[in-house]
Amino acid sequence: MRLVQLTLIGQAAMPVFINPDQVVALVALPDRTQIVTRATSAHGASIVYDVTELAAEVVRQLSANVTTGPQGRA
């Protein structure tokens, strides 16, 4: 599993680690990016993360070093 570190919006600017395979949509806003994932809350709603990085940077990080097919074991 590959994780990408981004920064949550908020006073503490906490890091969040996103699995690119779980991302279903990005919403580009002027001052932040919303990341919609396949994960669901207890009420069945998609989990959305608001991050400080702009959409172009989020896309770059999520698509960097993408591999195709299942990974084999060494």
Side-chain angles (χ1 to χ4, degrees), residues 32-46:
R32 66 186 184 278
T33 302
Q34 289 185 327
I35 302 171
V36 182
T37 67
R38 280 195 267 171
T40 56
S41 68
H43 302 289
S46 293

Side-chain angles (χ1 to χ4, degrees), residues 6 18 23-29 33-37 49 51 54-60 62:
L6 298 166
I18 304 287
V23 175
V24 295
L26 297 178
V27 179
L29 299 168
T33 302
Q34 289 185 327
I35 302 171
V36 182
T37 67
Y49 297 94
V51 297
L54 298 180
E57 177 62 16
V58 173
V59 168
R60 186 189 70 75
L62 291 175

Side-chain angles (χ1 to χ4, degrees), residues 1-4 17-22 71:
M1 168 177 35
R2 187 171 76 86
L3 298 174
V4 173
F17 297 90
I18 304 287
N19 180 343
D21 295 335
Q22 297 294 312
Q71 296 292 316

